[in-house]
Amino acid sequence: MRGPLAVALGILTAIGGFLDAGDLVTNAVVGSRFGLTLAWVVVMGVIGICVFAHMSGKVAAVSGRATFEIIRERLGPRAAGANLVASLAVTVLTLTAEIGGMALALQLASSVERRLWMPVAALAVWLVLWRVRFQVMENVTGLLGLTLIGFAVALYLLGPDWGELARQTLQPAVPPSEGAAVYWYFAIALLGAAMTPYEVFFFSSGGVEERWTVKDLATSRLNVFVGFPFGGVLSIAIAGCAAVVLLPLGIEVDAMSQIVLPVAQAGGPLLLAVVIVGLVSATTGAALETALSAGYTLSQYLGWSWGKFRRPAEAARFHVAMIVALVVAVGVLMTGVDPIAVTEYSVVFSAVALPLTYLPILVVANDPEYMGEHVNGRVLNAVGTLYLVILVVASAAAVPLMIVTEAGA
Amino acid sequence: MIAGDLIDVEVRDADGERLGYVVDLRLVLDRPPEAGAVLAGARLHGLVVSPRTRTSFLGYERTSVRAPWPIAQLLRRRHRGSFLVHWPDVASVPSLDATRRGKGAIVVLRRGFDRYDPALT
Amino acid sequence: MSTGLLPEPDQPGRVVDAELHLLDRQVLDVDGEPVCTVDDLELGAVGDDPDIDRPLAGDTTVVVTALLSGPVLGGVVGGRPDSSRRHRIAWRYVTDIGTAVHLGAHGEQFSATWVERWLRERVFSRIPGGRHDPEADE
């Protein structure tokens, strides 16, 4: 145990999952349009990711095998290959949004054109991947990301009608201004974001990076049950801020800068500064998480040597994969597309990746040849199976809903 | 020959009746180890044949793996009627030509072959 | 599993299923370093030259002669990947079959790792920090 820093992996994983640039905007969009009527989805997503991240961490600690190794092993080259392509698409789309977000922050701080900052941001990410020790990386980004608690503070300072927020949360209904299809489209997008597959790839591989063994099962559990609820609470707080301030004014969020309006209103420049530090470090943390996840998934599928605990030369193809991911991200950004808008298409790829990721985790967590006495108990299996059914249904509905609602427009 | 020449291939009996597909190769480590080897040699003991599907058992061919219950049930139902045929009961395997083309590959079993319980523990 | 099947007699050695226990598993070398995945298995008649590639049936005793690596996508596209593009790891190097397949030799000696070695020696060793041990104290 390393004191409070022992949960840094869980915090960083959750930040990358719940509070990456795309999700920050989605949370605020949802709050400004639906209030807290979709908060139940975030709660559901937190429970789901806790259950499966717990299993993936347990498999990594007991058997030493990271999640994409077991996906390949159990599903075979074809189905695992389909998952690889879909997961890499989600991961690289998110990485693209994060590099774009970092460049935007640098532009705001310097008033130098954003496109000039994109390669700089990518280079900075690469330097951390190349040089910085895994534990230092997760501790710094995890700790700085904690400043996002500023959103919860802002919500408290805004002094909202708590009864009304509670009613929206506990008795959700589609707001009269929105159609049911749009409501369900955002519900699926939020569930997919909360349970996005690169979280388990990163978490389980991070466990291997930290050389977890059976003795670290408690650490794994602690990371899961602190990290993801933290991410979920902040995700709801961001939506809450937008619901309290922007919804009554009829402002629909369409850019990153609008997310912080409620914070400035509630807490003034000091809280705003704190939250901006949080946004920058969350975006950077998510960039590191997604770049590493791209390297982890490809290396584990193909049996390459991987991990930041090795010298870069001893995991050469793993580092090449991450460099290629960063180059692709910068290349996409250079075309001038809106980096946040590209993450909307993640929903399509998640529909393929989610069931093909969580099914093998659930199956292997029950395999005594991997887990010995640590196989899943009945409750974990019941919840895991239920979520698998929910994910299959949500995946099947995702693409039709996306087309019908024009991606929630 | 490689394992991929046999796995997923259609299986027929001596009269040309389709019996299913090869879903796994059963190996027994009972050959004397080669010079310098630690592990015994792996003998091809038989083929696991599933009547309706080429998809995998996902590990549920082992009787010790039963959870989660709905997934185990689903896979066992898909693979109901599976059997193990011992290697000496295999009359012919796909020609190299058929495996290269990836089409028309079949495994034919000897007349009077025996069906064994495919379960592992 | 169902009725009408003969009971399988006890076998004189460990029973392993190719798909379940070997194929698609990670191969680790004697130091636990990743080598490749098991993409296929080479099967041969006892006493045959390993270069002979021929179909074998029940009248011949067949053994696993090697683990094969790459190209994994050959099997995805359909048809059989060309044997010249596959890397062999002879069965005699296998020391244990668990959640990974363990070898009793160093990964460097197998052709399956040539891309990794080439990148390491020709490219990564020349980039500053390429040989830096991230776990060492700064």
Side-chain angles (χ1 to χ4, degrees), chain A residues 63-65 69 72-78 126 130-135 209 211 299-306 308-320 323 367 369-370, chain C residues 14 19-21 23-28 32-39 72-73 75-76 99-100 102 112-113 115-116 119-120 124-125 127-138:
Chain A
S63 72
R65 308 266 66 85
E69 294 178 71
R72 166 82 197 265
E73 187 267 291
R74 213 36 74 103
L75 296 183
R78 270 167 258 204
W126 175 75
W130 183 254
R131 187 76 193 195
V132 178
R133 195 176 160 170
F134 190 85
Q135 280 83 353
E209 295 261 22
R211 298 198 168 83
S299 302
Q300 289 162 14
Y301 177 83
L302 292 167
W304 299 345
S305 157
W306 56 270
K308 273 182 62 54
F309 64 95
R310 295 191 162 95
R311 296 165 205 269
E314 312 272 308
R317 289 176 288 186
F318 167 67
H319 276 275
V320 168
I323 291 168
D367 190 328
E369 288 178 29
Y370 274 80
Chain C
R14 183 173 166 196
E19 185 84 71
L20 177 63
H21 295 108
L23 289 172
D24 301 305
R25 295 225 175 193
Q26 177 72 53
V27 179
L28 300 175
E33 293 294 307
V35 177
C36 59
T37 48
V38 183
D39 297 330
V72 59
L73 292 176
V76 174
T99 59
H102 296 266
T113 58
V115 179
E116 184 77 27
L119 283 170
R120 180 182 307 166
F124 277 66
S125 296
I127 305 175
R131 289 243 167 235
H132 169 72
D133 179 0
E135 307 272 85
D137 289 325
E138 297 285 333

Side-chain angles (χ1 to χ4, degrees), chain A residues 17-84:
Chain A
F18 287 84
L19 304 165
D20 64 89
D23 288 331
L24 288 168
V25 175
T26 307
N27 287 324
V29 168
V30 165
S32 72
R33 287 176 60 175
F34 300 94
L36 286 187
T37 58
L38 281 164
W40 63 273
V41 180
V42 177
V43 174
M44 209 174 102
V46 168
I47 296 170
I49 189 66
C50 280
V51 164
F52 285 103
H54 171 57
M55 288 184 216
S56 78
K58 203 168 68 154
V59 172
V62 174
S63 72
R65 308 266 66 85
T67 293
F68 226 90
E69 294 178 71
I70 63 172
I71 290 172
R72 166 82 197 265
E73 187 267 291
R74 213 36 74 103
L75 296 183
R78 270 167 258 204
N83 187 358
L84 178 72

Side-chain angles (χ1 to χ4, degrees), chain A residues 44 47-49 51-52 55 75 191 195 351-364 366 380-396, chain B residues 58 60 67-68 70-72 74-75:
Chain A
M44 209 174 102
I47 296 170
I49 189 66
V51 164
F52 285 103
M55 288 184 216
L75 296 183
L191 182 67
M195 298 190 70
V352 176
L354 286 170
L356 290 179
T357 296
Y358 293 123
L359 171 68
I361 292 176
L362 181 60
V363 168
V364 170
N366 280 289
L380 203 54
N381 275 335
V383 180
T385 309
L386 176 69
Y387 268 86
L388 209 56
V389 173
I390 294 170
L391 286 174
V392 169
V393 173
S395 296
Chain B
L58 292 183
Y60 290 96
I71 296 176
L74 199 72
L75 284 153

Side-chain angles (χ1 to χ4, degrees), chain A residues 96-115:
Chain A
T96 305
E98 306 319 301
I99 302 286
M102 290 170 72
L104 180 67
L106 289 164
Q107 179 190 20
L108 293 174
S110 68
S111 68
V112 172
E113 155 69 19
R114 177 156 47 133
R115 276 194 216 186

Side-chain angles (χ1 to χ4, degrees), chain A residues 27-207:
Chain A
N27 287 324
V29 168
V30 165
S32 72
R33 287 176 60 175
F34 300 94
L36 286 187
T37 58
L38 281 164
W40 63 273
V41 180
V42 177
V43 174
M44 209 174 102
V46 168
I47 296 170
I49 189 66
C50 280
V51 164
F52 285 103
H54 171 57
M55 288 184 216
S56 78
K58 203 168 68 154
V59 172
V62 174
S63 72
R65 308 266 66 85
T67 293
F68 226 90
E69 294 178 71
I70 63 172
I71 290 172
R72 166 82 197 265
E73 187 267 291
R74 213 36 74 103
L75 296 183
R78 270 167 258 204
N83 187 358
L84 178 72
V85 171
S87 294
L88 279 177
V90 175
T91 310
V92 175
L93 283 175
T94 310
L95 176 63
T96 305
E98 306 319 301
I99 302 286
M102 290 170 72
L104 180 67
L106 289 164
Q107 179 190 20
L108 293 174
S110 68
S111 68
V112 172
E113 155 69 19
R114 177 156 47 133
R115 276 194 216 186
L116 294 176
W117 283 117
M118 287 165 184
V120 177
L123 190 69
V125 170
W126 175 75
L127 274 173
V128 174
L129 298 175
W130 183 254
R131 187 76 193 195
V132 178
R133 195 176 160 170
F134 190 85
Q135 280 83 353
V136 173
M137 178 196 88
E138 66 180 10
N139 291 348
V140 170
T141 47
L143 270 180
L144 287 175
L146 290 179
T147 54
L148 286 173
I149 291 172
F151 277 109
V153 175
L155 183 60
Y156 173 78
L157 292 177
L158 286 168
D161 179 349
W162 292 104
E164 168 62 15
L165 290 184
R167 193 192 57 75
Q168 287 178 9
T169 308
L170 298 173
Q171 299 170 326
V174 182
S177 53
E178 304 283 353
V182 178
Y183 181 86
W184 286 106
Y185 172 74
F186 274 103
I188 288 174
L190 280 176
L191 182 67
M195 298 190 70
T196 191
Y198 61 73
E199 288 172 287
V200 284
F201 305 150
F202 182 73
F203 187 70
S204 63
S205 305

